[in-house]
Amino acid sequence: MLKKIIAAMLSVSSLTFALGGIPASYALIPDDAVEVGGLRPGYTMEYMESIYGQPVLEKVKSCNLPAFSQYDYKYGDTVSIFSIGGKAIFSIKTTANNGWATPAGVTVGMDKSVLHDIYGKEDTSFRRDGILYYTYFVYPSGMRGLSFGTKNNKIVSITAYMDQ
């Protein structure tokens, strides 16, 4: 029996190693850190409008089931809100130093070094269109978190998101 348990443990260890191992750590930011400008993914559009007023509806991607239609809203040229069904917020993105910040006080225009100082090592990073993004998860699944776009060592965008 002991030999079977040891064999099973070795199999699991080998599989884990073959799949790339388990990351040493995740930043795993607290859930209440996933916010920009006082808005969190999951908040209602009604709540957002009570704070900031009516946004401009920029784009609608319709679906046969209206509850799954996708809506992009804007406040000026620098704040974008994404919603599914037009009822709940799924992401908030800011691209300028316009007063919209994370609860920790991070704003667009700050040096990217503040990210490590405040949140620790990022959970993942990727480059798209010349911008390097650092992403911090609430859970290892990555389904909720903060993503910071950086260019020339400065933060150029902040997105609080949850996957749909």
Side-chain angles (χ1 to χ4, degrees):
M1 179 68 164
L2 183 59
K3 286 182 181 180
K4 287 183 181 180
I5 292 172
I6 292 172
M9 289 172 60
L10 287 173
S11 295
V12 169
S13 296
S14 297
L15 180 61
T16 301
F17 179 77
L19 294 175
I22 297 173
S25 67
Y26 286 96
L28 294 183
I29 59 174
D31 193 47
D32 60 3
V34 182
E35 178 180 305
V36 178
L39 298 176
R40 293 183 187 169
Y43 279 8
T44 65
M45 297 295 292
E46 182 178 44
Y47 176 75
M48 177 188 74
E49 290 174 13
S50 75
I51 296 172
Y52 293 107
Q54 183 75 33
V56 173
L57 177 59
E58 180 148 289
K59 183 170 80 174
V60 177
K61 184 176 177 186
S62 297
C63 180
N64 291 337
L65 299 170
F68 294 102
S69 293
Q70 299 176 5
Y71 299 86
D72 288 310
Y73 297 93
K74 292 280 234 181
Y75 284 107
D77 293 330
T78 62
V79 175
S80 301
I81 309 291
F82 176 71
S83 173
I84 294 180
K87 302 289 183 196
I89 297 170
F90 277 80
S91 70
I92 306 103
K93 180 178 183 178
T94 182
T95 57
N97 187 354
N98 51 16
W100 289 58
T102 69
V106 178
T107 62
V108 170
M110 289 182 151
D111 193 87
K112 76 174 185 177
S113 66
V114 303
L115 299 177
H116 189 270
D117 296 343
I118 293 173
Y119 301 111
K121 181 171 176 8
E122 71 278 358
D123 293 311
T124 188
S125 63
F126 62 94
R127 186 175 297 277
R128 183 184 305 143
D129 300 327
I131 297 175
L132 179 58
Y133 292 88
Y134 296 96
T135 303
Y136 298 85
F137 304 143
V138 172
Y139 307 107
S141 66
M143 294 192 63
R144 187 173 172 85
L146 288 171
S147 185
F148 298 89
T150 65
K151 189 171 187 175
N152 299 325
N153 294 318
K154 297 290 184 189
I155 298 169
V156 296
S157 69
I158 302 171
T159 304
Y161 71 88
M162 68 178 184
D163 281 351
Q164 53 275 4

